[in-house]
């Protein structure tokens, strides 16, 4: 990285005033003809030696002088400024997300009444599809409350119509088929007394998963909808359009009830837009995280109507990318209803009074970029406008950087060279930071401490964050240290120049004119001098204030590249890099003169951070939301990917984003040694505490629950031969975990659950015979009072050469059917849904079926194309068929061995349990 030049390459200008007596003496001796023509070699050598020593001492004395007056920040000042800035913004973010709106005035939302509804619904207990709690108790309560609202508002300007729907249907989703029969929907139509042609749909679901009261998912939304219905029905001014409130009773079973409404209910034809209320996690404000495509008018309505806006198009991009492993009724309404949607309730009143609802199809053009600022105001504009703004901002940043290259009088493009070095150094620091933190995460996982941050979130941030920041800071700290030893420049910001002793005069004169050097290779000062082979090696360093300026330019270049990429890809989230370019750029342009005159003064530092406040507070808000959403999800993500890797990637991403413009301060700080020491101390302390097991991953705290989720099935399996006779059977407790830690924390409480009873997948059996990641503990056979009844009704060959088989099943409310054609055979058609065959990654056909009360027997058929060869073993048959019956409610959903087993789980574990039977047949 260094360069060499002779003294002749850049002689200093004449008339320069010498800086020291020693350098002046050295100059006079070198200029004297008598000295130059001396015939005494020993005297000449002694003179040269004295000249060299004088020049060397002058250069070394120069090294210890400050670069510019007040040009650098003290380490303590830099720390106070940065930590204070981050803490202040974080406090503002926390305050903003805690904003709540509460009012009991007429026409407004009454949270007290809504909470009473929530308590009443959850007091019923778990509400699985087909259970009396879901189909009778909860339905009756909702109908009673709706009737009270209708009676109260009977004399008002609105009318209320109630319809209880029991739809039956089938559809394909995510590689499998979902079928339902007589599930429950309660549809409530609120409209003016004169009627309405156009309706807004508001949707919630009142069913829950097994063993859960389903408060946040989704009883709270139904409670909110009841109160909104009460509020709108009692308005003195009639609504311009109508509202349909859909209380659906089958969402947890793959979004079935919403499909039944939007595809079969006659009111669905009048729906123009919808609001879907859904939950992720256990609390927090409502967030607009998904909007219908090509419907900017919905976002504009939210901007005008929301009192405390809480929305970001980043959430929509993340959700639609598939990073969140879940689906909501939003997808059903969008895909099967072809209507737009918006997942927020606060715009409902505004939408039913708008003109756009009547002709929503006319406003389906373009997407919107939208985001809120601390819940105070909303910013929204079309993607087309956003593209123009993004490119204008990116081009402005490029012009700024190009202008600096053109105005810098460095020989051979010194500015460009330093900029490239800074980019490489920044990328290198990120690379080593990722490697180091990955090693830490691997070490934590290896020691069995994975997910320690699940309950103690800030401990994970401190561990991985301190490690990431330390590595980045260490590399940049080393970059500030001049390393010119034995003539080798180890730092890309330090350049090497070689002088003979005859050039000592130039080196001495160089000290008198700051910004000049004898090599004429840059405008920087010599930072270190050594001798080698009778010559001088001068290391020329870039001033620290100049380095700080260069790293600001690098951050600007980085965000400009991200902005170009996001905009080119058409991502609405491109507004994030846009604000990370425009605000710092404007701030830097306004503070350029102040920085040149006074360097890193306190005034400049405060103003610089103030210029970063707007983008940084929004970035920190997004980071908090992302962590708040994704952290609970890791408790039900058993896909084998280490969650610590996922967390550290989020932490590193946050570190890189937040540290981008803070690099400016690293190079303006006189020292970073104490900062490094503190960070490494924090890292070491947290790592030791993690290794000692102080941070347990799970918690039973009601205010912040972080449970260990476990599925426990008391199951009996029966395997039948081709002729229908029983080949083998077994019974046991099948335990499946839902996160990465497996059973390592459960085993100390229940020693029987260990790796010795871990099941393996049997590829020849449908669904492996077990859930793929489970433990199987032998137990007595289950005997449901209403056992599964499965029979083959008919088997016949068709004129097309296929074999058609028809079956009938009578069983509990939840059943799963698995079809695995044998080698050489294939399914050609079936009776499910629209007839489209859907298979999963294992080349199996999976059909999930559920029903409400009083449903008839489930009848279905499929056609099999037999193999062309006749070498099929009669013992194997053409297809393996497995059907699993799941008993979630009533006496059939419990057994004495299961109840005794559940009592052994610790308080921080949440075992969701039920009874199952598995029957496998060959045909």
């Amino acid at each position: 990285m260094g360069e060499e030049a002779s003294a002749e390459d850049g002689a200093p200008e004449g008339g320069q005033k010498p800086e020291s007596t020693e350098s002046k003496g050295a100059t006079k001796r070198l200029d004297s003809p008598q000295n130059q023509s001396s015939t005494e070699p020993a005297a000449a050598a002694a003179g040269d030696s004295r000249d060299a020593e004088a020049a060397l001492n002058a250069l070394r004395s120069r090294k210890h002088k400050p670069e510019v007056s007040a040009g650098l920040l003290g380490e303590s000042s830099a720390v106070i400024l940065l930590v204070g800035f981050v803490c202040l913004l974080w406090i503002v973010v926390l305050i903003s997300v805690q904003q709540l709106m509460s009012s009991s005035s007429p026409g407004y939302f009454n949270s007290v009444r809504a909470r009473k509804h929530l308590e009443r619904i959850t007091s019923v207990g778990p509400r699985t599809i087909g259970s009396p709690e879901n189909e009778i108790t909860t339905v009756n309560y909702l109908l009673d409350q709706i009737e009270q609202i209708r009676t109260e508002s009977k004399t008002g300007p609105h009318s209320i119509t109630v319809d209880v729907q029991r739809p039956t249907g089938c559809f394909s989703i995510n590689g499998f088929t979902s079928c339902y029969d007589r599930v429950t929907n309660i549809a409530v139509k609120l409209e003016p007394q004169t009627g309405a042609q156009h309706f807004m749909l508001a949707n919630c679901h009142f069913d829950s998963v097994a063993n859960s009261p389903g408060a946040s998912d989704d009883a709270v939304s139904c409670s909110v909808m009841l109160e909104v219905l009460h509020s709108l029905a009692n308005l003195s001014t009639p609504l311009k359009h109508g509202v349909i409130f859909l209380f659906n009773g089958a969402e947890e079973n793959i979004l079935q009830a919403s499909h039944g409404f939007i595809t079969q209910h006659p009111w669905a034809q009048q729906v123009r837009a919808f609001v879907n209320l859904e939950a992720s996690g256990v609390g927090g404000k409502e967030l607009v995280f998904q909007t219908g495509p090509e419907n900017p008018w919905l976002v504009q309505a939210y901007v005008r109507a929301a009192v405390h806006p809480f929305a970001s198009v980043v959430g929509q991009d993340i959700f639609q990318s598939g990073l969140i492993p879940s689906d909501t009724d939003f997808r059903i309404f969008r895909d099967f209803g072809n209507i737009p949607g918006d997942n927020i309730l606060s715009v409902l009143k505004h939408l039913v009074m708008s003109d756009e609802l009547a002709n929503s199809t006319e406003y389906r053009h373009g997407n919107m970029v939208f985001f809120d600022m601390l819940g105070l105001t909303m910013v929204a504009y079309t993607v087309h406008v956003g593209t123009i703004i993004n490119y204008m901002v990116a081009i402005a940043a490029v012009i700024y950087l190009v202008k600096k290259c053109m105005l810098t009088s460095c020989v051979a493009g010194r500015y460009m060279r330093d900029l490239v070095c800074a980019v490489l150094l920044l990328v290198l620091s990120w690379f080593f930071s990722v490697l180091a933190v990955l090693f830490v995460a691997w070490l934590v996982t290896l020691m069995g401490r994975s997910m320690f941050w699940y309950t103690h979130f800030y401990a994970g941030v401190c561990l991985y964050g301190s490690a990431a920041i330390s590595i980045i800071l260490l590399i940049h700290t080393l970059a500030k240290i001049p390393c010119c030893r034995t003539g080798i420049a180890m730092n890309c910001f330090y350049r090497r120049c070689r002088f003979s002793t005859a050039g000592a005069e130039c080196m001495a004169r160089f000290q008198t004119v700051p910004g000049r050097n004898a090599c004429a290779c840059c405008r920087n000062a010599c930072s270190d001098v050594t001798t080698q082979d009778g010559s001088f090696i001068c290391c020329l360093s870039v001033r620290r204030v100049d380095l700080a300026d260069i790293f600001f330019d690098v951050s600007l270049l980085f965000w400009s590249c991200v902005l170009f990429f996001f905009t080119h890809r058409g991502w609405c989230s491109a507004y994030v890099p846009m604000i990370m370019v425009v605000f710092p750029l404007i701030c830097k342009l306004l503070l350029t003169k102040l920085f040149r005159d006074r360097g890193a003064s306190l005034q400049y530092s405060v103003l610089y951070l103030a210029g970063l406040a707007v983008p940084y507070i929004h970035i920190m808000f997004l980071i908090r939301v992302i962590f708040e959403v994704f952290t609970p999800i890791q408790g039900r993500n058993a896909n084998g990917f280490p969650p610590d890797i996922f967390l550290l990637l989020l932490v590193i991403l946050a570190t890189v984003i937040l540290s981008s413009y803070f690099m400016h301060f690293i190079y303006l700080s006189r020292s970073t040694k104490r900062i490094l020491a503190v960070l490494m101390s924090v890292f070491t302390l947290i790592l030791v505490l993690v290794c000692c097991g102080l941070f347990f991953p799970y918690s039973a705290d009601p205010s912040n629950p972080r449970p260990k989720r476990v599925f426990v099935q008391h199951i009996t399996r029966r395997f039948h031969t081709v002729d229908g006779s029983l080949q083998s059977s077994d019974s046991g407790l099948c335990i499946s975990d839902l996160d990465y830690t497996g059973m390592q924390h459960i085993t100390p409480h229940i020693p029987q659950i260990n790796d010795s009873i871990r099941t393996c997948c049997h590829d020849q059996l449908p669904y492996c015979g077990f859930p793929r990641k489970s433990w199987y503990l032998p137990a007595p056979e289950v005997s449901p009072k209403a056992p599964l009844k499965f029979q083959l009704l008919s088997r016949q060959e068709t004129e097309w050469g296929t074999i058609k088989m028809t079956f009938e099943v009578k069983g509990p409310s939840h059943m799963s059917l698995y079809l695995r054609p044998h080698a050489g055979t294939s399914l050609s058609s079936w009776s499910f849904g629209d007839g489209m065959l859907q298979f999963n990654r294992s080349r199996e056909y999976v059909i999930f079926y559920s029903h409400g009360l009083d449903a008839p027997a489930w009848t279905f058929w499929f056609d099999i194309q037999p193999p062309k060869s006749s070498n099929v073993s009669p013992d194997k048959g053409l297809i393996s068929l497995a059907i699993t019956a799941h008993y979630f409610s009533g006496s059939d959903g419990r057994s004495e061995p299961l109840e005794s087993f559940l009592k052994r789980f610790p308080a921080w574990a949440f075992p969701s349990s039920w009874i199952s039977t598995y029957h496998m047949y060959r045909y």
Side-chain angles (χ1 to χ4, degrees), residues 186-202:
I186 301 177
V188 183
K189 179 190 287 187
L190 175 68
E191 59 184 333
Q193 293 284 1
T194 56
Q197 298 297 319
H198 311 286
F199 287 84
M200 185 78 189
L201 173 66

Side-chain angles (χ1 to χ4, degrees), residues 517-536:
N517 65 23
C519 299
C521 52
C522 69
R523 298 174 58 196
N524 300 300
C526 288
S527 61
D528 200 4
V529 177
T530 60
T531 60
Q532 179 182 3
D533 301 329
S535 62
F536 293 94

Side-chain angles (χ1 to χ4, degrees), residues 362-417:
E362 296 181 5
Y363 299 92
R364 296 190 180 188
H365 57 277
N367 289 320
M368 291 289 289
V369 177
F370 59 91
F371 57 93
D372 74 283
M373 295 301 297
L374 299 178
L376 301 176
T377 185
M378 276 286 295
V379 178
Y381 47 87
T382 64
V383 171
H384 178 69
V385 172
T387 300
I388 296 174
I389 294 174
N390 295 343
Y391 280 128
M392 288 178 62
V393 170
I395 291 172
V398 172
I399 292 175
Y400 166 82
L401 295 173
V402 171
K403 188 176 179 181
K404 290 196 70 172
C405 294
M406 296 176 63
L407 294 179
T408 304
S409 58
C410 298
V411 178
R414 176 60 193 261
Y415 173 79
M416 288 296 298
R417 174 186 176 276

Side-chain angles (χ1 to χ4, degrees), residues 24 66 91 303 309 313 371 494 528 575:
K24 180 187 294 185
I91 291 173
V303 171
V313 72
F371 57 93
Y494 292 83
D528 200 4
Y575 83 89

Side-chain angles (χ1 to χ4, degrees), residues 680-854:
M680 292 307 298
S681 299
V682 170
F683 167 75
T684 303
L685 175 63
I686 299 297
L687 182 60
V688 170
L689 295 178
V690 169
C691 295
C692 294
L694 183 64
F695 301 113
F696 190 70
Y698 306 107
S699 170
D701 183 6
S703 62
N704 185 33
R706 287 293 185 268
K708 166 71 176 180
R709 291 178 171 85
V710 180
F711 285 162
V712 182
Q713 303 178 55
H714 188 181
I715 187 172
T716 293
R717 303 191 305 162
R718 292 184 173 90
F719 303 90
H720 301 266
T721 61
V722 175
D723 59 7
S725 62
L726 182 65
Q727 181 180 14
S728 63
S729 66
D730 58 58
S731 298
L733 297 171
C734 184
I735 305 106
S736 305
D737 76 306
L738 297 182
D739 63 30
Y740 184 79
T741 61
M743 292 294 163
Q744 67 177 74
H745 299 292
I746 300 294
T747 300
H749 299 268
I750 310 177
Q752 291 88 345
I753 305 178
N754 52 62
D755 289 340
S756 64
I757 60 171
R758 184 75 178 265
T759 63
C760 58
C761 178
H762 300 282
D763 294 332
Q764 73 278 11
L765 297 178
Y767 198 52
C768 295
F770 288 102
R772 281 170 171 75
K773 184 182 179 183
S774 59
W775 290 256
Y776 195 62
L777 191 64
E781 182 176 321
V782 298
S783 300
K785 295 180 181 178
L788 177 74
K789 296 179 180 179
F790 180 83
Q791 60 177 327
L792 173 65
L793 296 180
S794 64
R795 174 175 177 155
Q796 58 184 0
E797 294 187 10
T798 67
E799 56 183 323
W800 300 282
T802 61
I803 299 177
K804 182 178 181 179
M805 298 183 185
T806 304
F807 299 87
E808 182 183 84
V809 186
K810 185 68 175 178
S813 59
H814 296 68
M815 291 182 283
S816 301
L817 178 67
Y818 308 95
L819 306 175
R820 177 185 284 270
H822 296 170
T825 64
S826 62
L827 290 182
S828 58
S829 62
W830 60 15
S831 60
F832 304 116
D834 56 5
M836 293 288 293
L837 300 175
Q838 293 281 337
F839 54 82
N840 60 16
R841 296 177 181 178
S842 302
R843 309 296 295 183
E844 289 182 348
Y845 298 88
V846 180
I847 300 93
F848 184 79
Y849 173 80
S850 62
H851 66 77
L853 298 177
D854 302 324

Side-chain angles (χ1 to χ4, degrees), residues 433-547:
S433 175
V434 171
L435 285 184
V437 182
L438 280 174
F439 175 77
V440 174
W442 173 79
L443 188 64
V444 168
T445 303
L446 191 65
M447 291 185 299
R449 305 302 181 188
S450 182
M451 291 186 66
F452 71 92
W453 41 266
Y454 187 51
T455 297
H456 310 278
F457 172 72
Y458 286 102
V461 172
C462 288
L463 178 67
Y464 298 130
S466 62
I469 297 173
S470 297
I471 297 300
I472 293 175
L473 189 59
L474 176 62
I475 292 177
H476 287 280
T477 299
L478 295 176
K480 297 189 296 183
I481 301 175
C483 302
C484 188
R485 299 291 181 262
T486 65
I488 301 176
M490 300 299 293
N491 192 309
C492 65
F493 298 112
Y494 292 83
R495 304 172 65 192
R496 182 182 64 184
C497 294
R498 185 185 301 274
F499 299 90
S500 64
T501 53
E505 174 193 4
C506 297
M507 296 171 64
R509 284 188 178 183
F510 166 66
Q511 304 306 310
T512 65
V513 183
R516 294 271 183 190
N517 65 23
C519 299
C521 52
C522 69
R523 298 174 58 196
N524 300 300
C526 288
S527 61
D528 200 4
V529 177
T530 60
T531 60
Q532 179 182 3
D533 301 329
S535 62
F536 293 94
I537 306 297
C538 176
C539 275
L540 306 167
S541 68
V542 181
R543 295 188 310 163
R544 294 272 287 281
V545 290
D546 293 334
L547 277 179

